[in-house]
Amino acid sequence: MNVSETIISLAESLESELIAQRRDFHKFAESGWFEMRTSSIIARKLTDLGYEVLVGEQVCKKDARMGVASEEVLEKQYQRAVAQGADPEFVPFTRGGMTGVIGILRCGEGPTVALRFDIDALGVFESNEEDHLPAAEGFRSVNEGFMHACGHDGHATVGLGVAKVLMSIKDQLHGTVKLIFQPSEEGVRGAKSIVANGHLDGVNYFLGSHVTPLFNGPHYDIHPGAYGSLATCKYDVVYRGRAAHAGGSPHLGKNAMLAAATAVLNLNAIPRHGAGSTRINVGTLVAGSGRNVIADEAKMEIEVRGGTTELNNYMCEYAKRILESAAVMHDCTCEIRLMGAADSLTSDLELCRIVADVCRDQLGMSVPEELTIRSGGSEDVSYMMNRVQEQGGLATFMRIRTKEVGGAHNRKFDFSEDFLVRGVKIFCASVAHLMQEK
Ligand SMILES: [Zn+2]
């Protein structure tokens, strides 16, 4: 058997194990910085396979994490993870939201290849209706208000399958493999802190992926690359003023609600940029405490996006100027906290071509002529890709097609589990090709 035949047969032999693992991750869904049980299980499995394993503060740089919950909330999640069967040896490293795992396999001289698998769930209440397969089959999330509604349970599972197969064929690999299990992709909060710890330095090839629904029209197994995902910044904004009697002494108050309202209207009036697409959204505004009280506090959750990192920077700077000026108008203070961010991303065609050839010629998969596909939304894998690319390495963000129902981030989201074996094959065959003896 040549190496790709070995990979195909190993991946296929893992099918039932992968499905069981995916259902376990799905059932115990944990959202960003709460992936404590999930991380502990990944660390256990990688260790048992023989990987060099990084956990806790070795993975994400503590102060570079964005959008982290309070210590109190994190501790509650930690206790839950422990109660739900987290691995006792590894779960202590995740306390305080230090989630994520990196597994390293060193196979002598050769390139360094990094693979990224995101592992977090979303703040979504999962459907318990019978036509929702996880409910019907008994692996609906037991953590109410948390749900794997974007397929990251599948991504994490593929990562573990890849770990197992690559270990089995390590004698045929030349170089170093890094498996990065990234926390907190939702809200684009996690990747930057992994880059900040230097884990993408010296990486020659980088592969990330996401499940993608089948469209009407020609069916393809994989798009080897993606482009066009939007750069973004997410902010929490708090205006603080002074409460006062609205009838007796309104002049003594400082109206935080007025400052926020001024900001909302002007944020939406930021001039569009001539060089490309931009977005702004004020998603929430909560202000005031009573009918006859001048509001002393107003909180907003906002986000901006841009077709490129430069366009996003234009939006960020304009938005900050408005937010601060609105505070000055009404003599309030304004606190702006960055809760998440991503750059735009581009896949390297040279690496897309390699992945396409491997998938078509060795795995018998269907690949479109057009190797890259436009990616909507935002993805913080961009930080990892950009770090690799700025050092002369090649990076791609693959879109692996699978039958999906419900739509991403929906309470009835689900994907066809045949994705799992296919994902393992794609990653392993690509890695084996990149790490073959030259
Ligand atoms: Zn996702």
Side-chain angles (χ1 to χ4, degrees):
M1 265 204 284
N2 65 31
V3 66
S4 53
E5 287 164 350
T6 309
I7 288 168
I8 290 169
S9 94
L10 285 170
E12 287 174 357
S13 74
L14 292 178
E15 186 177 10
S16 57
E17 183 181 328
L18 295 174
I19 290 172
Q21 182 62 70
R22 180 260 164 159
R23 293 183 176 199
D24 177 80
F25 284 150
H26 191 92
K27 185 170 182 175
F28 298 98
E30 298 172 308
S31 68
W33 307 124
F34 300 157
E35 315 93 327
M36 300 170 184
R37 179 185 183 276
T38 308
S39 296
S40 77
I41 289 169
I42 292 167
R44 170 88 271 147
K45 299 215 160 185
L46 294 178
T47 303
D48 291 349
L49 284 169
Y51 279 79
E52 187 180 320
V53 175
L54 306 181
V55 290
E57 294 191 31
Q58 295 172 307
V59 180
C60 294
K61 189 170 187 162
K62 194 170 183 181
D63 300 335
R65 295 173 305 158
M66 290 182 273
V68 187
S70 69
E71 284 299 323
E72 197 185 333
V73 172
L74 287 166
E75 186 56 24
K76 239 186 227 162
Q77 298 298 325
Y78 180 76
Q79 296 305 338
R80 179 165 77 182
V82 170
Q84 290 182 338
D87 183 86
E89 184 185 344
F90 288 106
V91 76
F93 293 101
T94 69
R95 204 166 195 160
M98 296 310 302
T99 50
V101 184
I102 296 177
I104 302 170
L105 176 60
R106 296 181 202 278
C107 309
E109 290 286 299
T112 297
V113 182
L115 312 179
R116 178 276 216 161
F117 308 97
D118 45 7
I119 64 173
D120 56 321
L122 281 149
V124 171
F125 280 89
E126 184 159 15
S127 167
N128 56 12
E129 289 164 59
E130 273 298 303
D131 62 346
H132 179 56
L133 187 90
E137 299 273 323
F139 64 99
R140 175 185 180 270
S141 174
V142 295
N143 295 335
E144 288 298 337
F146 298 98
M147 175 189 172
H148 274 290
C150 198
H152 302 188
D153 48 345
H155 300 167
T157 302
V158 165
L160 287 176
V162 167
K164 200 160 188 181
V165 172
L166 291 182
M167 188 53 85
S168 306
I169 60 163
K170 69 173 193 305
D171 294 344
Q172 293 168 78
L173 304 177
H174 303 272
T176 300
V177 192
K178 270 189 190 180
L179 306 179
I180 301 172
F181 291 84
Q182 182 207 314
S184 236
E185 189 284 320
E186 300 294 352
V188 286
R189 297 173 287 158
K192 201 174 189 180
S193 63
I194 293 178
V195 175
N197 257 351
H199 294 305
L200 280 300
D201 297 0
V203 169
N204 304 98
Y205 299 103
F206 176 90
L207 300 168
S209 80
H210 204 291
V211 289
T212 298
L214 301 175
F215 299 133
N216 294 329
H219 165 74
Y220 300 111
D221 291 304
I222 175 177
H223 296 262
Y227 65 93
S229 103
L230 300 170
T232 183
C233 288
K234 325 284 189 193
Y235 298 108
D236 279 1
V237 181
V238 184
Y239 285 103
R240 291 193 183 86
R242 186 196 292 147
H245 194 295
S249 52
H251 57 290
L252 297 180
K254 295 181 179 185
N255 197 324
M257 193 185 310
L258 275 183
T262 301
V264 172
L265 291 179
N266 284 280
L267 286 168
N268 280 282
I270 294 177
R272 300 300 85 162
H273 199 292
S277 60
T278 55
R279 307 267 193 284
I280 175 117
N281 190 46
V282 180
T284 69
L285 168 57
V286 179
S289 57
R291 187 190 308 279
N292 56 357
V293 183
I294 301 293
D296 65 344
E297 192 171 88
K299 292 183 179 169
M300 304 194 294
E301 293 175 313
I302 76 166
E303 61 165 34
V304 299
R305 301 188 197 229
T308 63
T309 301
E310 291 69 32
L311 289 167
N312 186 53
N313 289 344
Y314 161 79
M315 292 300 288
C316 290
E317 276 154 34
Y318 214 122
K320 281 191 204 162
R321 197 161 60 240
I322 287 170
L323 289 166
E324 282 157 6
S325 305
V328 172
M329 283 174 75
H330 296 285
D331 200 16
C332 294
T333 63
C334 175
E335 184 192 340
I336 304 170
R337 282 209 298 152
L338 182 66
M339 301 303 284
D343 283 341
S344 56
L345 63 85
T346 316
S347 298
D348 289 296
L349 268 181
E350 191 184 336
L351 185 54
C352 292
R353 262 184 228 114
I354 293 172
V355 171
D357 290 346
V358 165
C359 290
R360 206 186 290 115
D361 303 341
Q362 298 180 19
L363 303 175
M365 293 183 182
S366 57
V367 184
E369 277 306 304
E370 189 70 55
L371 295 182
T372 58
I373 185 173
R374 187 176 188 82
S375 224
S378 299
E379 243 291 351
D380 65 356
V381 76
S382 55
Y383 284 122
M384 297 187 182
M385 294 173 69
N386 291 343
R387 179 69 192 132
V388 170
Q389 289 166 331
E390 74 192 21
Q391 302 167 89
L394 300 178
T396 189
F397 184 56
M398 310 179 290
R399 305 302 302 245
I400 301 175
R401 292 225 169 274
T402 183
K403 194 164 178 292
E404 288 182 5
V405 288
H409 297 205
N410 182 282
R411 56 200 299 269
K412 279 191 169 179
F413 174 80
D414 193 24
F415 63 85
S416 171
E417 287 168 329
D418 61 359
F419 154 75
L420 302 170
V421 168
R422 199 159 63 251
V424 171
K425 287 181 189 172
I426 290 167
F427 274 103
C428 291
S430 301
V431 169
H433 182 86
L434 295 168
M435 295 177 69
Q436 67 190 320
E437 195 152 30
K438 292 273 150 63

